[in-house]
Amino acid sequence: MDEATRKELTAWLEFYEELGIEGFYRRKPGTAGPAQATPVGVEPRISAAPQAPPAVTVTAKPTSPDFGVRTPDTRRDLRPPAPTFSLFEAAPAPRSGPETLEQIREDLGDCRRCKLAPGRKTIVFGEGNPHAEVVFIGEGPGADEDEQGLPFVGRAGKLLNRMMEAVGLKREDVYICNVVKCRPPGNRTPEKDEVDACSPFLYRQIESIKPRLVCCLGAPAVRTVLGIKEGITKIRGQFYNFGAAKALATVHPAYVLRNPREEKILHEDFEKIRDFLKNP
Ligand code: URA
């Protein structure tokens, strides 16, 4: 490291130390994520998010005594590279071996990492089989979910249940979660800083479950998980490589509630999920 960089880094470290922030880790550039999200069997035609520069991530609340300068471990890493420097982004848990969902939930704690915290009633962590073959990812909890602490239990959830039943999937066999775990006010789309704060926990959940398929419900999930900014109607129904797994994007059930004639496309994509899961 050259002298100028060393000085600048020291100044930043002192600055954050004054803020009471002590835990740092350096994310290895080029880990799997948006830049590697390519349609299966097709030349990449969508420009996925550009490769992020090495990101230094700061955590405001170290949760473990050995929380020092770290690089991500060597387990299969599905997390996209951090797109920006984030004050609130949580570091991966400093544990060896696969994490359980319980451990991740414990790390999340009574989360105050973003501005959604004061408005929420309940953290909606996720629900389902910890070894599910398929993980569904929505946008964020609505009023019913905030009340009950469970994902997709309102009207959009009923439609999701119906879509799953139609292709022989049982809710208890899959895992369901969201890009953000706290309800955005008025059910607005989660903002970037909120997604940046919450998504590391989502990536850790996916890593823990190790599903064969990740199904992104709607644009925020597609952006967060695959780093694809293209409109959902253009990219839906396609499989993407996603680490050792595959990912499929489809429309959000709430979109179908607003546009009932589009139910057939959601159903069509769920049939693709069924066919995918049939093949070992
Ligand atoms: N919409 C979502 O995106 N997630 C939920 O949990 C409920 C509705």
Side-chain angles (χ1 to χ4, degrees):
M1 184 185 300
D2 63 59
E3 187 58 15
T5 310
R6 199 188 60 76
K7 275 198 181 139
E8 196 182 339
L9 196 54
T10 306
W12 275 107
L13 290 173
E14 284 168 1
F15 171 69
Y16 284 114
E17 203 170 71
E18 278 170 25
L19 296 178
I21 295 165
E22 289 159 359
F24 297 86
Y25 80 99
R26 181 177 179 277
R27 185 172 291 204
K28 203 174 358 187
T31 48
Q36 283 81 35
T38 52
V40 174
V42 194
E43 279 308 297
R45 90 193 146 68
I46 289 156
S47 54
Q51 194 93 352
V56 176
T57 305
V58 182
T59 179
K61 274 192 188 169
T63 50
S64 160
D66 65 342
F67 206 96
V69 177
R70 306 179 332 96
T71 52
D73 63 31
T74 52
R75 287 176 295 134
R76 180 165 67 103
D77 190 349
L78 300 174
R79 287 164 299 155
T84 52
F85 183 87
S86 169
L87 232 194
F88 296 103
E89 191 178 357
R95 297 187 176 96
S96 59
E99 291 185 289
T100 65
L101 291 172
E102 288 76 21
Q103 286 169 329
I104 300 165
R105 178 65 188 88
E106 202 181 296
D107 272 0
L108 184 63
D110 180 32
C111 185
R112 306 269 150 202
R113 292 169 180 82
C114 87
K115 61 185 184 303
L116 294 180
R120 70 154 187 257
K121 274 193 188 149
T122 326
I123 293 177
V124 181
F125 181 70
E127 180 194 36
N129 182 345
H131 308 292
E133 290 200 307
V134 54
V135 172
F136 289 96
I137 302 172
E139 184 172 323
D144 295 311
E145 291 77 21
D146 184 46
E147 199 65 51
Q148 298 181 42
L150 296 169
F152 281 97
V153 288
R155 283 181 67 225
K158 304 263 178 305
L159 177 56
L160 179 64
N161 291 348
R162 191 151 62 72
M163 288 293 123
M164 288 194 293
E165 274 164 28
V167 297
L169 279 176
K170 292 198 188 104
R171 193 169 158 121
E172 62 268 29
D173 290 341
V174 307
Y175 193 83
I176 306 175
C177 54
N178 283 300
V179 167
V180 294
K181 303 196 183 319
C182 297
R183 183 190 180 196
N187 298 343
R188 66 158 168 74
T189 304
E191 292 173 359
K192 187 182 175 310
D193 56 323
E194 297 154 4
V195 174
D196 284 351
C198 212
S199 55
F201 292 96
L202 171 65
Y203 306 142
R204 284 167 60 184
Q205 285 171 290
I206 300 171
E207 279 189 49
S208 168
I209 297 166
K210 298 196 187 332
R212 289 177 59 207
L213 182 68
V214 172
C215 178
C216 299
L217 300 168
V222 171
R223 252 195 320 269
T224 304
V225 174
L226 297 175
I228 294 171
K229 297 198 175 81
E230 207 96 348
I232 186 77
T233 48
K234 273 197 189 155
I235 60 131
R236 60 150 279 271
Q238 285 187 64
F239 285 92
Y240 288 83
N241 290 316
F242 185 66
K246 294 277 185 277
L248 176 81
T250 189
V251 292
H252 194 289
Y255 167 81
V256 174
L257 290 176
R258 291 191 302 273
N259 304 277
R261 280 196 296 192
E262 305 286 30
E263 185 171 319
K264 62 178 178 312
I265 64 174
L266 191 58
H267 182 70
E268 209 177 283
D269 292 342
F270 271 68
E271 286 181 331
K272 290 187 181 173
I273 295 174
R274 177 197 56 204
D275 295 346
F276 174 88
L277 294 175
K278 255 197 230 155
N279 289 323

